[in-house]
Amino acid sequence: MPLRMSRRTKVAGCTAVAAALLAAPLALAAPASAAPKPPIVDFNGDGYADLAIQAPFGSLQGVAHAGYVSIVYGSPTGMDLEHPENISQDLTWVPGEASETYFGSSTAARDLDGDGYTDLVVSAGNNNSAIVWGTSGGLHEATALSGHLSGLVDGDFNGDGEGDFAARTNGTVKVFLGPFTRAGAPASTTTLPEDRDDVYDLVAGDMNGDGKDDLVTTHGHEERAYKARWWKGTSTGLSKTYKTTGHYTDGGVIADVNMDGYGDYVASDVGSVSEMSMYEAGTVRVVYGGASGPTTRTATITQDTKGVPGVGEAGWRGGDDSDYGDQFGYSLAAGDVTGDGYPDIAVGVPGEDIGSVRDAGSVVLLKGGRAGLTGTGAQAVDQSDAGVPGASEAGDQFGREVSLLDVNSNNRADLAVSAPTEDGTYKDSGAVWVFRGSKAGLTTTSITSFGPKTVWGPEKEAMFGSGFAK
């Protein structure tokens, strides 16, 4: 049986990302311009978005769960599978050494030193995380970061144009403001006030349209979830006080889906009791942004929403605890797939049954528009679709992680989707697919699919695609 993880379970004690949110019909006064988009992930500065693929369970030199991150660069023709890179602590220039530390369990990508190349922050469970520096030749230099970091997220929290990142560390949330030196020293650090509740996920984006990224944190304790919290970005970094979003959510993404100038928080709605989320059909909630951050305008979208393909199905049918629900919204990503100017939302549905094949998984694309996020024009893709390499198999969990990025720089986002428990030469070696964006949405033309072997990475139980740097 493939390894199963709930949204709140993550490798080496980190939380697995899940998401889903709402949209509803209340008109808000709109600024003249839309909320700014985050910069693309471009490690070599060639203008094409690159993909960082996490494989934290990978074995290196016989060491189980040492972990690595595979880099596949974008190009005019799409993903460049001829020149991949694998980053691990088995490399002499990466701090630390290969050990059971789940290197790559969390990543964040941003230009941290202001040289024009995206850098990669990689967490490891040995209190020896690292910044891997982007250069014109790719990722070939690294600097150690002290402390155990997890739940990494990048942003620009003080609006100065320099890259920042935030992370969970020692039970708190620590914020690192750029620019960074090549010795790994940030311009400054702050710690958000401690709280008795566990912090699950961190989500960055500008919800109030002031040009500074804000931070949304999700929380809970044991089986209880708590309402997500919004921490405002200011000229000195994140505020030390928060405002609740008003809803029990997990994971998510912030994007201006209705282009009114304010980022909207789209996440997985888990309710106040989240212990059984792996058995749920799944709900995506949208909390719309405004001048004061999260507003009372929200919406929920499920597979039973008009226009959304499929039917929402809960698990535990007949008392079978191996029967997982669809988990619509387990993973989320934002990007403009159609090129119409509105961000779309990719929704991972890893527990979707395809015909009689249990937990094969799928991805649903929800289209952004002036009215916000709705089911209108939504489309679904899975491994049983004509033109999609592979086949839907029980337990693949296709859609476990998703990312939207423009790999060929044609102004349309492409969909990267993973199935970490896809079997290759070995069980649970994992695989990734990249679907091209088009005016009509996702297309099955020119799909790229690959597993760790294709990019020269270790295969055995790697769970390749356990996450993407976004």
Side-chain angles (χ1 to χ4, degrees):
M1 286 290 292
L3 177 63
R4 312 253 185 201
M5 293 190 287
S6 72
R7 292 187 183 93
R8 289 162 41 182
T9 308
K10 215 169 194 183
V11 256
C14 303
T15 329
V17 186
L21 276 141
L22 336 108
L26 247 150
L28 295 173
S33 60
K37 301 177 187 176
I40 68 169
V41 175
D42 185 6
F43 299 119
N44 58 2
D46 63 358
Y48 301 99
D50 306 320
L51 189 60
I53 304 161
Q54 298 163 210
F57 292 92
S59 299
L60 295 168
Q61 303 298 328
V63 179
H65 305 156
Y68 63 95
V69 180
S70 288
I71 310 299
V72 181
Y73 293 96
S75 77
T77 57
M79 304 268 47
D80 179 8
L81 294 176
E82 298 299 317
H83 303 92
E85 293 186 55
N86 292 303
I87 313 298
S88 74
Q89 290 180 308
D90 194 41
L91 298 173
T92 57
W93 53 270
V94 176
E97 60 183 24
S99 56
E100 192 174 347
T101 56
Y102 302 91
F103 184 83
S105 57
S106 178
T107 56
R110 196 84 174 201
D111 180 7
L112 298 176
D113 59 355
D115 65 354
Y117 302 103
T118 303
D119 308 306
L120 184 69
V121 187
V122 185
S123 71
N126 59 352
N127 293 326
N128 194 10
S129 300
I131 299 176
V132 187
W133 303 102
T135 71
S136 60
L139 296 166
H140 299 295
E141 305 171 27
T143 301
L145 288 174
S146 61
H148 176 62
L149 306 178
S150 62
L152 295 165
V153 65
D154 69 277
D156 180 6
F157 301 117
N158 57 2
D160 65 354
E162 304 288 351
D164 313 320
F165 72 87
R168 297 192 309 266
T169 178
N170 300 322
T172 63
V173 175
K174 192 170 184 178
V175 183
F176 301 77
L177 298 182
F180 288 69
T181 69
R182 278 300 180 101
S188 64
T189 61
T190 57
T191 301
L192 297 186
E194 292 189 43
D195 194 286
R196 66 179 180 84
D197 303 326
D198 296 329
V199 180
Y200 292 154
D201 287 298
L202 311 179
V203 183
D206 183 7
M207 291 193 72
N208 62 355
D210 66 354
K212 305 173 187 67
D213 282 331
D214 314 308
L215 188 71
V216 173
T217 57
T218 63
H219 301 259
H221 182 68
E222 295 179 347
E223 79 282 0
R224 302 291 301 182
Y226 297 95
K227 292 178 180 178
R229 299 165 185 175
W230 175 75
W231 307 79
K232 179 182 177 180
T234 76
S235 60
T236 57
L238 292 174
S239 169
K240 292 296 185 72
T241 60
Y242 66 83
K243 168 184 173 180
T244 177
T245 67
H247 299 277
Y248 304 95
T249 53
D250 200 8
V253 65
I254 294 173
D256 187 4
V257 297
N258 58 357
M259 294 294 283
D260 66 353
Y262 304 114
D264 310 307
Y265 173 49
V266 184
S268 175
D269 193 299
V270 296
S272 60
V273 179
S274 60
E275 185 180 36
M276 304 295 285
S277 60
M278 72 284 288
Y279 298 111
E280 294 174 357
T283 298
V284 168
R285 176 172 292 275
V286 184
V287 177
Y288 286 92
S292 299
T295 70
T296 57
R297 180 189 176 192
T298 73
T300 54
I301 300 174
T302 71
Q303 284 187 289
D304 298 319
T305 298
K306 183 178 179 180
V308 178
V311 176
E313 296 174 310
W316 208 313
R317 288 167 290 194
D320 181 0
D321 65 2
S322 69
D323 176 24
Y324 289 80
D326 287 346
Q327 299 175 78
F328 179 82
Y330 183 95
S331 57
L332 296 167
D336 183 7
V337 173
T338 62
D340 65 355
Y342 292 94
D344 307 307
I345 301 295
V347 182
V349 197
E352 177 86 343
D353 295 347
I354 304 300
S356 61
V357 182
R358 182 180 289 183
D359 300 336
S362 71
V363 176
V364 171
L365 183 70
L366 301 176
K367 307 288 182 62
R370 182 176 298 179
L373 200 64
T374 69
T376 302
Q379 66 177 127
V381 294
D382 62 65
Q383 288 189 75
S384 292
D385 291 338
V388 179
S392 294
E393 298 172 317
D396 278 353
Q397 299 187 58
F398 180 88
R400 171 78 162 271
E401 295 295 336
V402 292
S403 180
L404 287 172
L405 68 166
D406 186 2
V407 299
N408 58 350
S409 194
N410 68 347
N411 296 315
R412 291 189 174 94
D414 308 298
L415 170 69
V417 52
S418 74
T421 49
E422 172 91 1
D423 293 341
T425 304
Y426 298 93
K427 184 178 177 61
D428 296 344
S429 55
V432 168
W433 292 254
V434 179
F435 292 73
R436 296 292 183 87
S438 74
K439 184 176 181 180
L442 297 171
T443 175
T444 55
T445 302
S446 301
I447 291 176
T448 302
S449 68
F450 54 95
K453 183 177 181 179
T454 302
V455 295
W456 313 329
E459 291 184 80
K460 189 174 181 180
E461 297 177 347
M463 292 190 70
F464 185 78
S466 291
F468 298 118
K470 302 174 183 178

